[in-house]
């Protein structure tokens, strides 16, 4: 074998690194032999000598080997993240299920409540000129009485348009219910109709199936039907233009249009539109300034300021209204005319008389907060469970960092876990939404939907899920990626006090929210129960209300009444044109006189017959009831309630006189205050006028023992007296119950979503209890070996969590007290907040937490200590 150059070999032996000399010499000899065979001996000697020179210590340089670090969001890294995430999710099934279920339920609740809030806040915003439409509201303060009304008088609209150029157009609308319609042999009552000016279609957008907005109400003999009423009357919606419909039995109107049913997020609900100018149909006195019975809308010119216009209203009031209501300048009447934006009407009208059961901005805020808190509880669950598992993942992180993983890559991995889990939770949430959306619509009385197949909706939901995943994963990602590999791999890793404190704080936060919701649920149900069962001032049980909307039925009312009273199952019958348990009755101004001084009072009133008090079992405070035997009553008589005496400042009815039918008469009697509507409303002054032959409602008290027989008898007699009219009735107690239906729906929503919030909080608590039991497995084993009982072990594992719940109760109680006091302000008659409500809510919170934790605690306490300590 050919030997390499001696001098080069001597240099390597003399100056080469002693630790690698032999290894390097062996490698160079192998390379020299290879070079001799491939390039020849001369070149091989040169290569050998140059290689030796490069390896000598003064000239040698360490070879820098650079390994490329892939971008943490590259496709390869994302694929790697997903692979690791799926492995972790499958390996830790319990942890994955708790987080997946919590996030899915949280997203579903948040989306449902978001749909509710969206529907409530978009009422009437779809109309082309919605931002320029305002309703005329009245605020009347007279002595001790105050009225806030969303209605005005008929002549106000045209006068406003005539006086002020900033008003471009005016619309008047009067609502009515139980209106009789007949087409051929088909007759029925329409639940709701409106009487409107022809400008209705310039204000609000309706979809015409037949006819046009320009010609629909051009004269007082035309009518527009909704497709619902058209189908009920004719069984079709096309080819109906020009056909005649008989309204109220004696008013023929020509069909000029068929429109689609009004959207559910429109403040006007109706089955038909009748002409406002037809006084025979609407019953409106177009020149009566003190007849407040119509909604008046104004369309402002672009750029006009409604506040400045409202500032001009005192002059308008003095010019047109003051004299009509008896304000001579000395009666201290405050009469404010304001303009309410159309888009605010649904949510900001609960302060107005007769609109207490409409939309409520407080509920929008409440459900928005509940949705947000439910999401936060679900996010808190993820953070708590992720950081609680830090000890079990510490070695994984240490190994990854030791083999070169950068912190940003670990953050990417943990964020990928949270994002993927959020996307999976979204899939589960969509399934829950499909199943529960119909139930939600039924409970909430909504018609909201989610177009899951549309790209905008899919994109919005995906973005929502990714945002939740990002928020959930940020803190755990930064905390877990911060672990030091040296400490972890040496076994010196320990959970930080800050982390423990954070988890405890988050548990307190979760149960604070849960406690507030439990208190809220108890208070809401107590208030509803109070309203449903509080005394109304009369007996509304076993009382039927039968509408008499047709003129012929009103004329035959006396015959019908006498026929009904012939059967002993009928205990009493009364005819009235008033509404008990429904909307507002007419308001007008009565003049009362004391010592020759006139005192005008704008008040609600309606006509009754002699039997009204007896049928409803309303008690007299003083004076007498109407009597058919007194000639003076036939000339005119009135009753007032106690609220009217308080309003007048009279000690009794004999203090003064009241003007009725141009005559000054003495008040016949004073009745005890009773509720015409729900307990949302304060009892206001009321005047009952004797008109025994005037009325469109029959009140019938039936015997309680055989109500079906009484109903059958009433139906038979009614159809015999009124053969061509449909028989309809309502029980008065059900009518009152309907006024609380909106509150009941909202309370059921509150209860359902409160339960969901508590459920999600319990999922997190269950997960924490599980990991706590796992971390203390050996401790429990040692304690059991030393004689600890199962009870003591359960107490040991449960007490820490119960302490946190106790802190949550202390934090939540004053907050819940404040919020519930605010909520109860909207009720004229309400319950008192008592201490036991908070005590019961606290006990329920402790009980829920104990049940959640005790399952894992008992399971850990029953484990054989031999298994726990086997690894030691």
């Amino acid at each position: 074998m050919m030997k390499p150059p001696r001098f080069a070999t001597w240099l390597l032996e003399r100056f080469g690194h002693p630790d690698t000399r032999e290894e390097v010499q062996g490698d160079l000899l192998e390379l020299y032999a290879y070079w001799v065979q491939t390039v020849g001996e001369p070149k091989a000697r040169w290569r050998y000598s140059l290689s030796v020179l490069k390896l000598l210590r003064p000239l040698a340089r360490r070879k820098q080997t650079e390994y490329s670090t892939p971008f943490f969001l590259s496709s390869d890294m994302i694929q790697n993240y997903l692979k690791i995430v799926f492995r972790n999710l499958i390996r830790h099934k319990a942890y994955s299920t708790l987080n997946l279920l919590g996030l899915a339920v949280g997203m579903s609740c948040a989306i449902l409540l978001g749909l509710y809030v969206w529907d409530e806040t978009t009422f009437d915003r779809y109309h082309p000129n919605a931002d320029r439409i305002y309703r005329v509201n009245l605020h009347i303060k007279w002595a001790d009485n105050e009225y806030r009304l969303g209605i005005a008088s008929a002549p106000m609209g045209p006068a406003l348009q005539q006086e002020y150029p900033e008003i471009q157009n005016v619309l008047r609308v009067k609502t009515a219910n139980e209106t009789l319609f007949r087409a051929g042999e088909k007759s029925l009552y329409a639940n709701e109709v409106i009487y409107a000016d022809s400008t209705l279609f310039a204000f609000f957008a309706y979809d015409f199936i037949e006819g046009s907005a320009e010609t629909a109400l051009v004269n007082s003999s035309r009518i527009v039907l909704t497709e619902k009423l058209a189908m009920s009357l004719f069984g079709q919606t096309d080819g109906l233009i020009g056909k005649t419909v008989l309204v109220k039995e004696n008013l023929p109107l020509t069909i000029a249009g068929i429109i689609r049913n009004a959207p559910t997020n429109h403040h006007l609900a109706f089955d038909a539109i009748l002409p406002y100018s037809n006084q025979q149909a609407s019953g409106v006195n177009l020149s009566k300034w003190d007849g407040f019975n119509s909604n008046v809308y104004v369309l402002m010119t672009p750029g006009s300021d409604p506040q400045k216009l409202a500032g001009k209203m005192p002059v308008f009031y003095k010019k047109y209204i003051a004299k009509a209501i008896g304000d001579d300048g000395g009666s201290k009447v405050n009469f404010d005319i304001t303009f309410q934006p159309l888009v605010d009407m649904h949510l900001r009208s609960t302060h107005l008389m007769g609109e207490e059961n409409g939309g409520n901005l407080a509920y929008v805020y409440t459900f928005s907060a509940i949705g947000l808190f439910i999401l936060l509880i679900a996010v808190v669950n993820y953070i708590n469970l992720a950081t609680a598992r830090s000890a079990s993942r510490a070695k994984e992180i240490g190994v990854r960092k030791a083999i070169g993983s950068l912190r940003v890559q670990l953050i990417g991995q943990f964020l990928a876990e949270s994002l993927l889990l959020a996307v999976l939770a979204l899939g589960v949430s969509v399934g829950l939404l499909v199943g529960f959306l119909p139930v939600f619509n039924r409970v909430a009385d909504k018609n909201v939907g989610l177009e899951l197949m549309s790209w905008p909706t899919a994109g919005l939901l995906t973005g929502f899920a990714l945002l939740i995943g990002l928020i959930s994963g940020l803190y755990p990602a930064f905390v877990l990626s911060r672990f030091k590999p040296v400490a972890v791999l040496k076994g010196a890793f320990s959970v930080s006090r800050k982390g423990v404190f954070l988890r405890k704080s988050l548990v307190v936060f979760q149960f604070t929210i849960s406690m507030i919701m439990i208190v809220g649920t108890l208070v809401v149900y107590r208030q509803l129960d109070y309203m449903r069962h509080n005394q109304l001032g009369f007996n509304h049980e076993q009382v039927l209300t039968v509408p008499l909307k047709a003129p012929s039925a009103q004329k035959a009312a006396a015959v019908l009444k006498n026929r009904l009273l012939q059967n002993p199952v009928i205990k009493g019958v009364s005819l009235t044109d008033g509404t008990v348990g429904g909307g507002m009755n007419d308001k007008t101004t009565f003049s009362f006189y004391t010592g020759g001084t006139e005192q005008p009072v704008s008040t609600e009133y309606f006509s009754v017959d002699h039997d009204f008090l007896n049928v409803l079992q309303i008690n007299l405070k003083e004076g007498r009831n109407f009597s058919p035997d007194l000639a003076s009553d036939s000339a005119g008589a009135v009753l007032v309630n106690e609220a009217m005496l308080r309003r007048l400042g009279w000690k009794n009815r004999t203090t003064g006189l009241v003007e009725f039918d141009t005559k000054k008469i003495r008040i016949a009697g004073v009745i005890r205050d009773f509720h015409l509507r729900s307990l949302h409303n304060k009892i206001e002054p009321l005047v009952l006028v004797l008109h025994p032959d005037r009325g469109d409602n029959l009140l019938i008290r039936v015997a309680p023992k055989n109500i079906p027989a009484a109903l059958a008898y009433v139906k038979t007699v009614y159809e015999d007296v009124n053969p061509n009219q449909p028989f309809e009735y309502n029980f008065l107690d059900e009518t009152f119950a309907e006024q609380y239906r909106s509150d009941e729906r909202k309370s059921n929503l509150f209860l359902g979503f409160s339960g969901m919030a508590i459920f999600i909080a319990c999922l997190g608590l269950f997960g924490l209890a599980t990991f706590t039991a796992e971390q203390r497995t050996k401790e429990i084993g040692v304690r059991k070996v030393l004689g600890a009982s199962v009870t003591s072990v359960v107490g040991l594992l449960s007490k820490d969590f119960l302490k946190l719940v106790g802190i949550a109760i202390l934090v939540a109680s004053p907050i819940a007290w404040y919020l519930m006091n605010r909520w109860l302000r909207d009720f004229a008659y309400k319950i008192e907040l008592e201490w036991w409500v908070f005590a019961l809510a606290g006990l329920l919170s402790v009980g829920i937490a104990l049940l959640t934790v005790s399952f894992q605690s008992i399971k850990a306490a029953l484990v054989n200590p031999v298994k726990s300590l086997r690894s030691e």
Side-chain angles (χ1 to χ4, degrees):
M1 176 182 177
M2 302 296 295
K3 291 185 178 181
R6 291 181 182 180
F7 180 71
T9 302
W10 176 83
L11 286 174
L12 183 59
E13 291 175 352
R14 181 71 181 82
F15 297 104
H17 196 288
D19 294 337
T20 61
R21 186 184 300 138
E22 291 183 3
E23 184 179 349
V24 170
Q25 279 181 333
D27 291 342
L28 284 176
L29 286 173
E30 290 180 5
L31 284 171
Y32 178 74
Y34 173 74
W35 289 330
V36 169
Q37 291 179 2
T38 55
V39 298
E41 183 179 354
K43 289 185 178 181
R45 291 174 71 86
W46 275 105
R47 288 186 180 184
Y48 181 84
S49 300
L50 288 172
S51 297
V52 169
L53 288 173
K54 289 178 180 180
L55 291 170
L56 294 181
R57 279 190 288 175
L59 300 174
R61 289 186 303 173
R62 184 183 298 274
K63 185 177 181 181
Q64 299 296 325
T65 305
E66 295 184 0
Y67 298 97
S68 61
T69 303
F71 180 52
F72 79 104
L73 287 180
S74 66
S75 59
D76 291 335
M77 290 303 295
I78 292 175
Q79 185 178 356
N80 181 58
Y81 295 152
L82 294 176
K83 191 181 299 182
I84 295 170
V85 168
F86 275 113
R87 288 174 181 171
N88 282 328
L89 292 178
I90 294 170
R91 184 180 301 124
H92 306 286
K93 293 183 178 63
Y95 161 80
S96 303
T97 301
L98 289 176
N99 269 327
L100 187 65
L101 189 58
L103 286 174
V105 173
M107 287 182 186
S108 298
C109 293
I111 292 170
L112 287 175
L113 288 172
L115 289 172
Y116 177 89
V117 170
W118 177 83
D119 184 74
E120 288 286 292
T121 54
T122 56
F123 258 71
D124 288 309
R125 293 184 183 272
Y126 63 91
H127 299 294
N129 297 316
D131 59 329
R132 295 195 287 126
I133 299 173
Y134 297 83
R135 181 177 64 180
V136 177
N137 287 352
L138 305 181
H139 180 194
I140 308 170
K141 197 170 183 180
W142 208 334
D144 295 331
N145 283 276
E146 186 174 9
Y147 305 98
R148 296 179 183 271
L149 306 173
I151 53 178
S153 57
M156 277 187 69
L160 283 169
Q161 188 174 12
Q162 179 182 341
E163 290 282 335
Y164 303 102
E166 52 263 61
I167 295 178
Q168 180 178 327
N169 212 340
V170 170
L171 165 67
R172 295 168 298 180
V173 175
K174 182 186 178 184
T175 59
N177 53 22
E178 299 295 336
T179 303
L180 181 64
F181 283 80
R182 180 183 297 280
E185 297 299 318
K186 181 74 173 182
S187 61
L188 55 82
Y189 282 108
N191 291 328
E192 295 172 301
V193 301
I194 60 173
Y195 299 90
D197 286 325
S198 60
T199 54
L200 174 73
F201 305 110
F203 277 71
F204 306 130
Y206 300 109
D207 186 9
F208 273 80
I209 299 174
E210 281 195 324
S212 68
E214 291 76 17
T215 60
L217 295 175
V218 291
N219 60 55
S220 60
S221 63
R222 297 195 170 195
I223 187 174
V224 176
L225 305 182
T226 62
E227 58 180 331
K228 173 186 172 184
L229 184 58
M231 288 297 296
S232 299
L233 283 172
F234 298 98
Q236 62 189 55
T237 58
D238 57 332
L240 300 181
I241 300 298
K243 289 185 178 296
T244 300
V245 174
L246 205 60
V247 180
K248 294 184 177 180
E249 195 177 47
N250 62 350
L251 180 63
L253 295 176
T254 302
I255 298 175
I258 306 294
I259 61 172
R260 300 200 184 279
N261 298 327
T264 55
N265 59 347
H266 182 32
H267 74 284
L268 291 175
F270 55 86
D271 296 316
I273 306 169
L274 287 80
Y276 188 85
S277 58
N278 192 320
Q279 297 182 61
Q280 181 184 355
S282 65
V284 176
N285 187 334
L286 298 178
S287 60
K288 187 175 176 60
W289 280 93
D290 62 341
F292 306 126
N293 53 21
S294 303
N295 296 119
V296 176
Y297 304 87
V298 296
L299 178 65
M300 306 283 283
T301 56
S304 297
D305 186 352
Q307 297 300 326
K308 290 182 179 179
L309 180 62
K312 301 175 183 179
M313 288 301 103
V315 175
F316 181 85
Y317 164 73
K318 289 179 181 178
K319 182 176 180 180
Y320 291 103
I321 305 173
K323 183 178 179 181
I325 66 172
D327 180 10
D328 56 2
S331 54
K332 296 181 179 180
V333 178
N334 291 325
F335 196 104
D336 294 328
I337 302 173
T338 58
F339 299 92
Q340 183 181 26
L342 173 69
V343 295
D344 287 351
M345 284 174 51
H346 176 66
L347 292 177
R348 299 178 187 271
S349 298
T350 53
H351 63 291
L352 300 176
M353 187 180 295
E355 298 190 32
E356 294 81 3
N357 294 325
N360 193 323
L361 192 62
Y363 282 114
V364 171
Y365 288 143
T366 298
F367 289 129
S368 298
I370 290 174
L372 178 62
F373 283 137
I374 288 176
L375 263 187
L376 286 177
I377 291 172
V379 169
V380 163
N381 273 359
Y382 184 90
I383 294 172
N384 260 346
L385 294 177
T387 53
R389 292 180 66 239
S390 59
S392 63
R393 301 201 66 173
K395 288 185 179 179
E396 173 195 346
I397 297 164
V399 170
R400 288 183 177 278
K401 281 196 167 186
I403 62 175
S405 287
L406 300 178
R407 188 182 181 193
V408 69
Q409 292 174 324
L410 291 173
I411 291 173
Q413 177 191 326
F414 293 127
L415 284 178
E417 284 189 22
S418 63
L419 291 172
L420 179 61
L421 195 66
V423 172
L424 292 175
L426 176 63
V428 177
S429 175
V430 168
L432 292 175
L433 287 172
V434 171
F436 284 99
L437 195 55
V439 178
F440 173 80
N441 279 328
R442 187 166 59 251
V443 173
D445 192 30
K446 292 289 182 184
N447 190 29
V448 295
L450 199 61
E451 298 297 333
L452 297 174
M453 302 306 293
S454 66
W455 284 110
T457 303
L460 189 64
L461 291 179
T462 304
F464 171 69
L466 293 176
L467 178 63
I468 297 302
L470 186 64
I471 295 172
S472 303
L474 273 178
Y475 179 78
F478 279 92
V479 169
L480 296 178
S481 64
R482 199 171 52 202
F483 293 162
K484 296 180 179 179
V486 175
V488 170
L489 297 177
K490 282 184 176 180
F493 170 81
S494 60
V495 179
S496 69
R497 291 183 179 180
K498 289 182 180 179
V500 173
F501 177 76
L502 175 67
R503 285 197 296 278
K504 289 182 177 179
S505 301
L506 293 177
V507 170
V508 170
F509 168 77
Q510 287 181 313
F511 272 86
T512 297
I513 300 301
S514 300
M515 169 75 178
I516 291 172
M517 289 185 170
I518 291 173
V519 171
T521 301
L522 292 174
V523 171
V524 167
Y525 269 84
R526 285 194 67 224
Q527 175 64 20
L528 286 178
D529 185 70
Y530 171 79
M531 291 193 298
R532 281 193 296 258
H533 298 100
N534 191 46
Q535 293 298 320
L536 295 174
F538 68 97
N539 184 4
H540 65 315
E541 302 290 338
Q542 290 90 45
V543 176
L544 292 174
T545 60
V546 178
L548 306 173
K549 300 302 181 182
S552 63
Q554 294 167 14
K555 291 178 182 178
V559 176
L560 178 61
K561 178 179 177 178
N562 292 331
R563 287 275 304 273
L564 289 172
L565 289 172
Q566 293 174 11
N567 193 316
V569 297
I570 306 300
K571 298 301 182 183
V573 181
S574 175
L575 179 66
T576 174
D577 68 355
T579 300
V580 180
M584 281 191 61
N585 295 287
D586 287 339
K587 291 178 71 71
T588 192
T589 301
F590 283 85
S591 293
F592 294 85
Y593 296 87
T594 52
T597 303
E598 182 182 5
Q599 189 174 356
V601 177
S602 178
T603 181
E604 197 170 353
Y605 79 102
F606 55 89
S607 302
V608 298
D609 64 7
H610 306 90
D611 299 306
F612 181 77
L613 299 189
N614 295 330
V615 170
L616 292 185
Q617 298 178 4
I618 299 173
N619 295 321
L620 276 166
K621 179 185 179 183
E622 61 173 282
R624 62 175 179 82
N625 190 6
F626 296 131
S627 173
D629 301 324
L630 293 176
S632 58
D633 280 6
S634 61
V638 299
L639 299 173
V640 300
N641 63 352
E642 294 172 287
M644 178 60 81
L645 282 192
R646 291 193 297 271
R647 162 71 181 82
L648 294 168
W650 293 4
K651 291 183 178 180
N652 53 56
R653 67 185 178 87
T654 61
T655 304
L657 303 173
V658 59
E659 184 175 343
F660 179 69
D661 283 346
T662 69
K663 299 187 296 293
K664 294 178 182 177
I665 61 174
R666 193 167 299 282
I667 296 170
V670 179
I671 58 176
R672 295 287 183 184
D673 283 339
F674 69 97
H675 290 273
L676 275 174
R677 289 173 289 277
S678 74
L679 268 68
H680 283 284
N681 307 92
K682 185 179 178 182
I683 295 177
E684 300 289 350
L686 174 69
V687 174
L688 300 181
V689 179
L690 178 63
H691 280 299
D693 55 350
R694 180 190 301 175
D696 55 8
N697 280 298
L698 213 58
L699 300 175
I700 306 170
R701 177 170 292 282
V702 300
K705 292 185 178 179
N706 198 351
I707 292 178
L711 280 174
Y713 177 72
V714 172
K715 184 175 186 296
T716 300
V717 173
Y718 180 91
E719 291 177 345
D720 186 42
V721 175
N722 304 292
N724 298 318
Q725 296 171 24
F727 172 70
E728 292 190 1
Y729 71 91
N730 290 294
F731 278 101
L732 195 55
D733 56 349
E734 293 177 354
T735 302
F736 270 88
E738 186 61 33
Q739 296 186 58
Y740 302 118
R741 207 74 71 200
S742 176
D743 292 307
E744 288 177 357
R745 284 193 292 266
K746 292 179 177 68
S747 67
N748 289 335
L749 286 178
F750 190 90
L751 174 64
F753 287 108
S754 296
M756 289 296 99
I758 295 168
F759 170 73
I760 297 171
C762 288
L763 285 179
L765 195 63
F766 181 83
L768 286 179
T770 302
F771 286 113
T772 300
E774 288 178 1
Q775 291 173 351
R776 303 179 73 173
T777 299
K778 291 183 174 58
E779 176 191 348
I780 295 169
V782 171
R783 287 180 179 274
K784 291 195 70 176
V785 168
L786 295 176
S789 64
V790 172
T791 304
S792 64
V793 172
V794 172
L796 174 72
L797 295 175
S798 302
K799 67 179 182 180
D800 291 337
F801 292 106
L802 294 181
K803 286 179 184 177
L804 300 179
V805 175
I807 295 171
I809 292 172
L810 294 177
V811 173
S813 295
I815 299 174
W817 180 87
Y818 172 77
L819 293 175
M820 290 299 102
N821 256 327
R822 293 268 307 201
W823 180 73
L824 287 170
R825 287 181 191 176
D826 292 336
F827 296 91
Y829 305 91
K830 57 197 173 189
I831 61 170
E832 294 293 330
L833 285 178
E834 299 179 274
W835 66 268
W836 65 264
V837 173
F838 299 91
L840 178 59
L843 286 174
L844 288 172
S845 298
V846 170
I848 291 168
L850 190 60
L851 284 173
T852 304
V853 173
S854 62
F855 176 81
Q856 281 299 327
S857 300
I858 293 171
K859 182 179 177 182
L862 293 174
V863 173
N864 190 335
V866 175
K867 292 182 179 179
S868 303
L869 301 173
R870 181 176 295 167
S871 60
E872 296 298 328

